[in-house]
Amino acid sequence: MSRIRIIIQSLIPWVIFFALDHSSTLELRIAIIAALAFIVIFNNRLLQNGFIFEWGSLLFFFSLFTLVVATPNNWCIINAPLLAFYTLAITCWISIILRKPIAMQYAKLNVTKELWSTSLFYRVNNIVTVLWALVFSIISMLYTVHKFVWGGTLWLTTLIPTTLLLLITWFTFWFPEWYKRTVIGEWGVINIKNLSEINIAHAHTANIAFRSLGRGQKLIMLPPSHMNMYGWDPELLRVLSRKFEVIILDYPDIGASKLKNGEYTVKNLAHAIGEFITNLTDEKVALCGYSMGGWVAQQVTLDYPDSVSRLTLIATDVGSPRSSRADDDTRAILLDNSSAFDVENDALLERLFPQEHLRQMAPKLRAIFTAANFKENISHSIVLLQQHLAESWYRGDGTYQRLNQIEADTLVISGGQDRIVNRQNSSLLANGIPGAMLVEYPDSGHGVVFEHPTAVAEEMLEL
């Protein structure tokens, strides 16, 4: 059922009541009977589904039928419109107290079941319901003032109520969409978490926890440091899932993944991912590595050449002294994160995005990082291990001397204003890997996948 149609259908009894009630007792009785008949005949299914608003409407009109039609009560006849608005307000407040906001019941008609139990879904619809309750409460008080204190004022009973009802109706349809656009990451991450069960792949080096979405060739997504499997932009994953079975995973000792043998180095992480791939499928996979994930992806492609057919390297480098590292201030900010990415760390966000994009991107990134729950899933010890891994990567040989051995079709993506991984590193990769294609987004920084998720995904689809 369409949400808009059901909302209109729920409101029709009230429209009938207010349209037919013009103060005469006969008109009031006709309005009550017509509204009650509409609910019983046309909205019976909503009653069966437990819609609180529908039950509140039924109880109100049945009570009014008893007090106005069956056993007439003069006070109820005179004050029927006032009682109606108080009933609407009370019904909304009761639904809020019961933690079943009226707006949420209607929103479920157009929202996937995976989101019904999420805090975000509840929060958005609770806000909408609270505002409806406030509007009905204000109108009820205006009618009370008009009836018992200050009569004869058109703006009290017509102009203000009409304006409030128009505004809240507009807000009801605008706010959820605006909220989803503003925090699209959080909605997306929540949705992705529910698309598949979490799986654990057991191997000699490590147990790897992963989830998947989509169908097609398997695409393994290797995240940056300090991040778990949910740190990807959901729009990126949604577009990629049109062609690939997208597999998001946690590095060892993050979430349910566990390192069983070896040290926390790029070489050993690549060995763990290589085992994961060979145990997962006999076919070649596509591999995408972002930042630190790019280091691991290069090493996997070199050490397991028969397992990787397509390679995407995003905002990453070749390691070794050949790499151009971030400036001292930026490195200090990265090293200063004691547990994981701090979503309120403006200094860090300024390194991820160019200044002119920061205001637009910060809410989205904070939403994704908050939903991914880095601070609960990424321990202080893992952050230190990844920092040590990075230092070893730059002091060691990296992959520069072996880039010409990579046979996979390769796409290198970089942000022209990347302050964490200098754009020169992308040129080294693209020039060193045979046939590699370089795509640069001049207006983007290290957070290029969050600034241009659809464009990046489409480039990967065309590789």
Side-chain angles (χ1 to χ4, degrees):
M1 285 182 162
S2 167
R3 177 170 67 116
I4 296 177
R5 183 170 70 83
I6 295 302
I7 291 173
I8 293 173
Q9 191 172 318
S10 295
L11 292 174
I12 285 177
W14 295 94
V15 173
I16 292 172
F17 173 74
F18 286 111
L20 295 181
D21 175 28
H22 294 291
S23 299
S24 77
T25 303
L26 178 60
E27 290 174 330
L28 176 60
R29 288 174 177 173
I30 293 173
I32 294 170
I33 293 171
L36 193 58
F38 188 94
I39 294 173
V40 173
I41 296 171
F42 296 104
N43 292 357
N44 184 54
R45 184 176 174 183
L46 300 179
L47 292 171
Q48 292 177 4
N49 290 334
F51 275 61
I52 294 175
F53 185 83
E54 215 58 47
W55 277 102
S57 300
L58 178 67
L59 291 173
F60 169 74
F61 288 115
F62 181 78
S63 300
L64 212 57
F65 177 84
T66 302
L67 296 171
V68 173
V69 180
T71 56
N73 180 291
N74 288 333
W75 190 91
C76 291
I77 293 173
I78 295 171
N79 295 293
L82 178 63
L83 292 174
F85 280 112
Y86 273 112
T87 298
L88 289 168
I90 291 170
T91 302
C92 290
W93 288 120
I94 288 175
S95 75
I96 293 165
I97 293 171
L98 294 177
R99 296 186 63 80
K100 293 182 179 180
I102 286 172
M104 188 165 69
Q105 292 186 303
Y106 292 99
K108 286 181 178 180
L109 298 172
N110 290 92
V111 174
T112 179
K113 287 185 177 181
E114 285 82 6
L115 292 177
W116 290 3
S117 60
T118 63
S119 60
L120 185 65
F121 182 67
Y122 171 80
R123 187 188 317 153
V124 169
N125 288 288
N126 194 56
I127 290 172
V128 171
T129 306
V130 166
L131 289 178
W132 272 103
L134 288 172
V135 165
F136 285 137
S137 298
I138 292 170
I139 294 175
S140 300
M141 288 185 286
L142 291 175
Y143 265 79
T144 302
V145 170
H146 166 73
K147 198 76 177 178
F148 302 106
V149 180
W150 189 16
T153 51
L154 183 66
W155 61 273
L156 275 179
T157 57
T158 303
L159 297 180
I160 294 179
T162 300
T163 302
L164 288 174
L165 288 171
L166 288 174
L167 285 174
I168 189 59
T169 300
W170 167 80
F171 181 84
T172 299
F173 294 101
W174 170 82
F175 178 68
E177 296 303 319
W178 172 84
Y179 202 92
K180 282 191 287 184
R181 287 196 305 270
T182 304
V183 294
I184 182 66
E186 188 168 356
W187 282 79
V189 169
I190 291 170
N191 197 18
I192 289 164
K193 285 183 181 179
N194 287 280
L195 282 176
S196 73
E197 295 294 328
I198 191 166
N199 297 288
I200 308 293
H202 299 273
H204 175 72
T205 304
N207 297 337
I208 301 294
F210 68 100
R211 295 180 188 266
S212 63
L213 64 152
R215 294 182 180 180
Q217 182 186 20
K218 289 177 169 54
L219 168 61
I220 315 297
M221 305 291 288
L222 302 180
S225 61
H226 302 176
M227 292 173 68
N228 60 17
M229 69 173 78
Y230 306 118
W232 297 98
D233 189 295
E235 183 63 21
L236 174 81
L237 301 185
R238 276 194 285 267
V239 176
L240 289 173
S241 67
R242 296 173 187 168
K243 181 176 180 177
F244 295 104
E245 178 186 353
V246 182
I247 296 174
I248 53 177
L249 56 77
D250 282 336
Y251 291 124
D253 294 340
I254 294 175
S257 297
K258 301 297 177 186
L259 185 65
K260 297 164 66 176
N261 290 290
E263 298 179 351
Y264 215 91
T265 62
V266 170
K267 185 77 172 177
N268 202 42
L269 289 185
H271 189 49
I273 300 301
E275 286 184 338
F276 168 75
I277 293 172
T278 55
N279 291 337
L280 188 68
T281 179
D282 294 330
E283 299 178 354
K284 288 189 175 184
V285 304
L287 194 59
C288 173
Y290 176 24
S291 196
M292 188 190 89
W295 309 343
V296 180
Q298 293 171 65
Q299 197 68 54
V300 171
T301 307
L302 289 167
D303 294 347
Y304 293 82
D306 295 332
S307 295
V308 181
S309 63
R310 301 156 65 109
L311 175 64
T312 301
L313 302 172
I314 303 173
T316 191
D317 57 53
V318 299
S320 77
R322 294 289 310 214
S323 294
S324 178
R325 301 191 65 180
D327 59 66
D328 291 340
D329 289 342
T330 299
R331 289 163 63 185
I333 291 170
L334 296 175
L335 293 172
D336 189 44
N337 291 298
S338 59
S339 59
F341 276 142
D342 182 354
V343 297
E344 299 300 328
N345 189 335
D346 290 332
L348 175 62
L349 294 178
E350 288 173 1
R351 264 59 182 185
L352 292 175
F353 301 109
Q355 188 63 41
E356 60 269 23
H357 298 169
L358 186 59
R359 184 175 181 181
Q360 176 186 358
M361 297 306 303
K364 176 181 178 180
L365 199 70
R366 284 173 175 148
I368 293 176
F369 285 4
T370 299
N373 203 13
F374 294 150
K375 291 189 175 181
E376 291 294 325
N377 291 293
I378 302 174
S379 66
H380 178 63
S381 60
I382 288 298
V383 172
L384 293 178
L385 284 172
Q386 290 186 347
Q387 290 173 355
H388 177 72
L389 174 148
E391 291 303 316
S392 298
W393 173 250
Y394 289 115
R395 287 199 308 267
D397 296 332
T399 57
Y400 179 72
Q401 298 295 336
R402 299 181 61 195
L403 290 179
N404 61 354
Q405 299 174 26
I406 293 178
E407 299 178 356
D409 295 333
T410 303
L411 171 65
V412 180
I413 294 176
S414 68
Q417 300 183 50
D418 194 334
R419 300 179 63 182
I420 295 177
V421 177
N422 191 291
R423 58 186 296 191
Q424 295 177 10
N425 294 290
S426 299
S427 297
L428 284 176
L429 285 166
N431 293 332
I433 299 174
M437 180 173 65
L438 173 61
V439 176
E440 181 181 284
Y441 294 86
D443 63 335
S444 296
H446 196 67
V448 59
V449 291
F450 301 103
E451 293 186 80
H452 300 285
T454 303
V456 169
E458 288 175 347
E459 291 287 354
M460 293 174 64
L461 293 178
E462 294 175 5
L463 177 62

